[in-house]
Amino acid sequence: MNIEGADVFGMKRKKAVDSRDDSAVAPPVRTVPVTLLTGFLGAGKTTLLNALLTEPAMHDAAVIVNEFGSVPIDHGLVRTGSERYFRTTTGCICCTATSDIRTSLYELHQAFLEGMMPQVSRVVIETTGLADPAPIINSLIAGGTPALGLRDHIVARHFHLSGVVTAFDVVSGPAMLDNFIEGWKQLAFADHIVLTKTDLANAAAVDRESLADLNPAASFHDRNAADFDLMSLFAASDYSLRGKPEDAPGWIAADRLSLHAAHQHDINRHGVGVEAFNLTFDGAFDPQAIVTFLELVTSNVHSGLLRLKGIFGATDDPERPVVAHAVQHRLYPLTRMERWPDGNRSTRIVLIGMDMPQQPIRALFETLASQAGRKGRA
C-alpha cells in the first residue's frame, strides 16, 4: 500500500511497511501475552482499563501501571481486585521502560513460581501518557533490546508482546499531534485505536478519515458506539509491524542504538520542558476550596498545563474522597470514590505540563491548605 504524498494533520502520510515484511515473532509455546495500553495524557486509558477489568475473562490478568512523576495517583483509581497482581512504576518510561517492564514481569513470574499467586493468563501494561512505545516494544520482542542478564532471558522465555491498544482523545488529540511526537508514535505502533470523548459536542471536528491514514493497519473503534467490544481488543495474538507506517521499524531500530540504560533521569521530567510536580496535604478541604483551586489552575489556557489528576479529602464526607481530572484547560466534572483506595488518606495532586508557573500554583495550594488546617484545629 502506498499512500505517500498527502498531508495528514499537517504531516506527510507515510508508506506502510510492505505487506510481505512480516515482523511478527512467533512466541515460544505457552508464553503469557502482554498487551500495551497507551495513549496521550488524558486520553482515557485508566477509564478503559477499569472497564476491561470488569470482564470475567480478566479475573486472572496481571496489571502494570506506569505513572509519570514521583507521586502515583492512577494506582488508586484502578479497580484491581484483591487477588490480581498489580504493580505501579513511576518515572520517564522512555528511559526506564526496559528495566521497569522487564523487572515487573520477572517479579510476576517469580511470584507464581514461589506460590504467592496463581498463574496469570495475560498481562496489561498501562503506560504513562508521555510514553514513547518504541523502548517498551523493544524490551518485549525477540531481537529487541539485548538481555542484560538472566532476568531478561527468563522474561523472554515466558512472555511475549501480543498487541498495542491506543486511546485517542478526539477533542484535544489533533492539537496534541502538532506538538508531541510521542502521540504520533502511539498511533503508529497501534493494532487498535480507541476513539474517546466522541460523545462531546465538539468531537465531530476531528477528521476521522485522515486520522485513519496515519496507521493503515490499525482498527479504529468508537468508545461510545453501541457495539463497542473492549475485551475483543485484548485477545491474545502476536504483535507485528506488518502494515504499520514505514517510520515504525525505523523508530524501533533507532531505539536499539540509543543508550537509555546509560544515564539517569529525574523521574519528574520528560524531554525538554515537560515536567510533573506534585502537591500533598495531610488533611481535608472544604468542597468549595477544592473547586476554587481547580478552576483557578485550569482557567488559564496559556499556563502550559497538559494534565491534572488528584484525589482530595473533603470535609463534607471524609470517607469519600473527591477525584479530579483535567486535560489542558478542560476541567471534567468531579466525582466521589466510595472509599479511600489505600491506607493513604492524604490529598495528593499531580500536574504535568510544559514550563508551568509552579510557584503561583504551589502558593495557592499552600494558602488553601493552611486555611483548612486552621479550620480543622478550631
Side-chain angles (χ1 to χ4, degrees), residues 158-321:
H158 293 281
F159 300 90
H160 76 275
L161 181 60
S162 176
V164 177
V165 177
T166 299
F168 183 79
D169 176 351
V170 299
V171 175
S172 60
M176 171 274 298
L177 293 176
D178 291 335
N179 299 294
F180 295 94
I181 187 63
E182 293 89 348
W184 287 93
K185 289 187 175 183
Q186 290 165 2
L187 292 172
F189 283 109
D191 298 303
H192 298 281
I193 296 174
V194 180
L195 304 178
T196 63
K197 318 290 176 67
T198 54
D199 56 329
L200 299 181
N202 52 348
V206 68
D207 184 346
R208 298 194 186 191
E209 182 177 350
S210 294
L211 185 62
D213 285 338
L214 298 178
N215 183 346
S219 298
F220 283 75
H221 311 265
D222 185 338
R223 174 68 178 89
N224 295 288
D227 60 349
F228 177 69
D229 183 3
L230 179 59
M231 186 65 200
S232 69
L233 312 188
F234 290 80
S237 184
D238 305 330
Y239 184 73
S240 173
L241 290 175
R242 182 198 299 146
K244 300 293 193 298
E246 63 178 358
D247 284 338
W251 286 327
I252 289 288
D255 178 72
R256 292 173 188 167
L257 298 176
S258 67
L259 300 175
H260 288 293
H263 54 284
Q264 298 295 319
H265 279 258
D266 180 345
I267 64 174
N268 290 302
R269 297 192 65 84
H270 171 90
V272 178
V274 179
E275 59 185 323
F277 71 95
N278 59 83
L279 305 168
T280 59
F281 173 57
D282 292 328
F285 289 95
D286 180 88
Q288 185 56 52
I290 297 174
V291 173
T292 297
F293 172 79
L294 293 171
E295 289 183 345
L296 288 173
V297 169
T298 59
S299 61
N300 182 357
V301 297
H302 302 296
S303 67
L305 178 68
L306 296 174
R307 184 75 166 96
L308 177 150
K309 48 190 172 181
I311 301 176
F312 294 79
T315 55
D316 64 329
D317 193 347
E319 299 304 317
R320 299 176 65 238

Side-chain angles (χ1 to χ4, degrees), residues 19 28 30 44 48 70 85 96-97 139 294 315 334-335 351:
S19 60
R30 292 185 296 181
L48 290 176
S70 58
Y85 177 89
T96 62
S139 70
L294 293 171
T315 55
L334 304 182
T335 60
L351 300 98

